[in-house]
Amino acid sequence: MKISIHFIIISAALLSMTGMVRAQEKEVLRFEEYLGLVGKKNLGYASQKYNVSMAEASVQTAGMFPDPQLELETTNNGVNKNMGYVYGTSIGWTLEMGGKRKARINLAKNQSELSKIQLQDFFRNLRADASLGYVEALKSKALLEVQQDSYKNILQLAKSDSIRYRLGTISLVTSKQSKLEAASLLNEVYQAESAEQQALTNLSVFLSDLKMTVREVSGDFNAFNRDFNIDDLTIQALNERADLLAAKQNTQVAKSQISLEKANRAIDLGINAGAERHTEATNEIAPSPTVNAVKLGISIPLKFSNRRNAGLKIAEMAYSQAEIEYQQIEQGIRAEVMQAYQQYIATQKQVKQFHNGMLTEAKSILDGITYSYKRGESSILEVLNAQRTYNGIRRDYYQTLADNAAALIELERKAGIWDINF
C-alpha cells in the first residue's frame, strides 16, 4: 500500500508540474485572432478564391472579337505550258451578328458575380464551423479542469485517509477505497487531456497549421446570450443569406444563357479581302501580260442546324430549374431559422436552470459530506457519491454552456448575421 500512496503522490506532483509548464509555454490564441487567421490561412478558402479570379478572367475572354484569318496561295496556271503563275494573299474575319459578344459578356459577368457570392457563402460556413471548433476546444479545456480538480480533491482525501488508517481511526478498506478512486480519476484526467489535445488539433485543420496544438484557447461561455425576434431573423436570413443570394444569381446566369443561345442562332457573316498577281504568260497561243487584281468576298452560312433548337430548350429548362431551386432554398431557410431559434431557446433555458443554484447546492452538499466524513459521521462511499454528483453536474454545466454557444453560432449562421465574440 505504501507503493500505491507514493505512486499517487508522484503522479499528482507530475500532473501539477505538467500544468505549470503548459501554462508557461502555451500562448493564448483568442477567438477574434483565431477567426482572422482562419480567413488568411485556411487552404480551402484560399482555393475558392481562385474561382473568383478565373470568373473575372472569363469576362475579358468573353469580350474578345473573333480572330482574323490570313491566307496565302499560289497557282501554276499550266504545268509546262508557260501560262504564268498566280500569287495571292487575303485576310478574312467573321462578323458576329445577333449580339453574340454582348450576350457572352453578360453571361460571364453574371457567372463572375455568382462566384463572388458563392465565396461569401463558403466563408459563412467556414467561419461558423471554425467557431464551433473553438467552442469545442474551450469546452474540452473546461472539462479537463473539472477532472483535475476532482482528482486533486480525492488525492488529498486519500493522503488524509492513509494517515488516519495508520492512526487507527478508519479501516484498511476505507483507505483503499479512497486511493482506488484517486487512481481511477487520474485515468479520467489523462482521457480529458487527450480530448483537449484532439480539439486543439482540430483547430489546426482550419488554420492549416499543426503548430496550433501547442497553444491555448480562451473565452467566456457566458457571452453567448442574445435576444432575438423570430420574424426579424427570418427577414434577415431571406435578405442576407449568401446561399439564397447565390440561388437568385443563378437564375440570372440561366437567363443570360438563354440570351446567348438565342444570339447564337443568328447568322454570322464571313468577310474577306485580298490581292492577286498574275505573272506574264509566254505561251505562243495565248500570251498575256502581268496583271494585278483585287478581290472582295462575303460568305453566308446556311444554318440548317437552327431547325434543331435543343440548346435553347435546354437553357430554358435550366432557367425553370434554377427558379424552382431558389424557391426550395427559400423555404428551407425559413425552416432552418425556426429550428435553430427553437434550439437556442431550449439551451438558454437549460443554462438558466444551472444558474438557479444547481452548482452551488451540489458543492455545498459535497463540502458538508466531506466535513462529516472527516469527523467520522459519514462513510467514504457517501463522499465519493457526492464527488461524482458534483463532477457530473459541473460536466453537464459546461456541456450545456457549449451547447448554448453552438446553438447561437448555428442560429446566426442560419440567419445570415454574425456578431460572435467571446
Side-chain angles (χ1 to χ4, degrees):
M1 297 313 301
K2 291 183 180 179
I3 296 176
S4 299
I5 295 172
H6 291 161
F7 174 76
I8 293 174
I9 294 175
I10 293 173
S11 298
L14 291 175
L15 182 66
S16 177
M17 292 175 62
T18 302
M20 292 176 62
V21 171
R22 290 175 57 195
Q24 292 174 358
E25 291 183 352
K26 287 194 173 182
E27 180 182 357
V28 175
L29 179 64
R30 303 197 177 277
F31 178 72
E32 186 175 1
E33 179 189 358
Y34 165 69
L35 275 191
L37 291 174
V38 168
K40 295 177 181 178
K41 293 187 174 184
N42 184 264
L43 295 180
Y45 185 52
S47 175
Q48 291 295 318
K49 290 180 180 179
Y50 282 104
N51 291 335
V52 176
S53 299
M54 289 186 291
E56 291 176 344
S58 297
V59 175
Q60 299 179 358
T61 303
M64 295 175 62
F65 292 95
D67 293 324
Q69 297 177 347
L70 178 64
E71 295 183 4
L72 299 174
E73 61 181 355
T74 182
T75 304
N76 186 349
N77 287 330
V79 179
N80 298 325
K81 299 295 183 179
N82 296 324
M83 295 296 293
Y85 297 89
V86 179
Y87 301 99
T89 181
S90 64
I91 185 169
W93 64 92
T94 301
L95 181 60
E96 292 184 316
M97 308 297 289
K100 292 184 178 65
R101 178 174 178 271
K102 181 179 179 181
R104 287 198 307 270
I105 293 174
N106 289 336
L107 175 59
K109 285 183 176 179
N110 284 326
Q111 290 175 332
S112 177
E113 186 63 26
L114 176 60
S115 67
K116 293 177 183 178
I117 298 174
Q118 289 174 335
L119 179 64
Q120 294 175 9
D121 189 55
F122 182 88
F123 184 71
R124 176 181 69 91
N125 288 304
L126 173 64
R127 178 179 57 192
D129 292 338
S131 300
L132 291 174
Y134 195 92
V135 167
E136 181 66 23
L138 196 61
K139 182 194 74 173
S140 299
K141 177 184 176 182
L143 293 179
L144 174 59
E145 292 175 354
V146 171
Q147 292 301 132
Q148 288 174 336
D149 290 344
S150 176
Y151 170 71
K152 290 175 183 178
N153 291 337
I154 297 301
L155 181 62
Q156 185 63 37
L157 186 65
K159 294 178 182 178
S160 176
D161 284 351
S162 178
I163 297 173
R164 293 172 65 191
Y165 165 66
R166 289 197 296 268
L167 295 176
T169 58
I170 62 172
S171 66
L172 177 61
V173 173
T174 300
S175 178
K176 286 182 177 182
Q177 182 70 36
S178 60
K179 285 180 284 190
L180 182 62
E181 187 70 17
S184 177
L185 287 175
L186 183 58
N187 285 334
E188 294 183 9
V189 169
Y190 294 151
Q191 184 176 1
E193 285 179 338
S194 175
E196 183 195 32
Q197 290 301 316
Q198 291 179 43
L200 289 174
T201 302
N202 184 54
L203 297 187
S204 68
V205 176
F206 295 102
L207 294 176
S208 303
D209 182 8
L210 293 178
K211 294 181 180 179
M212 180 60 211
T213 54
V214 301
R215 303 189 70 174
E216 284 277 7
V217 294
S218 177
D220 182 10
F221 271 132
N222 293 312
F224 293 88
N225 297 312
R226 307 284 192 281
D227 292 325
F228 293 112
N229 179 280
I230 184 59
D231 294 330
D232 293 339
L233 286 175
T234 303
I235 294 174
Q236 177 76 16
L238 296 178
N239 290 332
E240 300 295 335
R241 275 277 293 265
D243 55 343
L244 185 61
L245 296 177
K248 185 177 182 179
Q249 183 62 26
N250 193 42
T251 62
Q252 295 299 318
V253 171
K255 186 181 295 185
S256 299
Q257 187 65 48
I258 293 176
S259 299
L260 179 59
E261 289 294 336
K262 290 180 178 179
N264 286 336
R265 293 172 64 82
I267 295 175
D268 297 333
L269 298 179
I271 301 175
N272 62 79
E276 290 182 348
R277 179 177 177 82
H278 298 256
T279 62
E280 179 184 5
T282 60
N283 185 280
E284 295 180 355
I285 299 175
S288 62
T290 300
V291 177
N292 294 324
V294 177
K295 62 179 182 179
L296 297 174
I298 185 172
S299 62
I300 301 176
L302 303 177
K303 297 199 70 171
F304 297 110
S305 60
N306 276 353
R307 295 180 180 180
R308 301 180 180 181
N309 57 350
L312 180 59
K313 289 183 177 179
I314 292 173
E316 290 173 343
M317 287 186 288
Y319 175 70
S320 299
Q321 183 185 45
E323 284 189 320
I324 294 175
E325 289 177 350
Y326 174 78
Q327 296 173 4
Q328 181 184 16
I329 293 175
E330 182 179 5
Q331 293 177 359
I333 286 176
R334 292 179 184 273
E336 288 177 359
V337 172
M338 177 60 72
Q339 291 171 346
Y341 178 76
Q342 292 169 344
Q343 178 63 25
Y344 175 67
I345 294 299
T347 56
Q348 282 278 288
K349 292 178 180 179
Q350 294 174 15
V351 171
K352 290 179 181 178
Q353 185 71 8
F354 280 99
H355 289 167
N356 286 335
M358 289 181 63
L359 283 171
T360 304
E361 186 175 357
K363 183 65 167 64
S364 63
I365 291 174
L366 175 60
D367 292 342
I369 292 180
T370 302
Y371 178 74
S372 298
Y373 172 71
K374 292 180 178 179
R375 298 184 60 182
E377 298 174 358
S378 59
S379 66
I380 182 63
L381 293 180
E382 291 177 293
V383 175
L384 297 180
N385 286 334
Q387 182 69 56
R388 294 190 187 102
T389 300
Y390 180 56
N391 291 347
I393 291 177
R394 289 185 70 190
R395 285 194 295 266
D396 291 344
Y397 173 61
Y398 286 118
Q399 181 64 55
T400 302
L401 288 177
D403 290 343
N404 178 67
L408 179 60
I409 291 172
E410 288 294 348
L411 179 57
E412 296 205 356
R413 185 213 297 254
K414 304 301 183 185
I417 60 178
W418 192 260
D419 63 353
I420 304 295
N421 194 8
F422 59 97

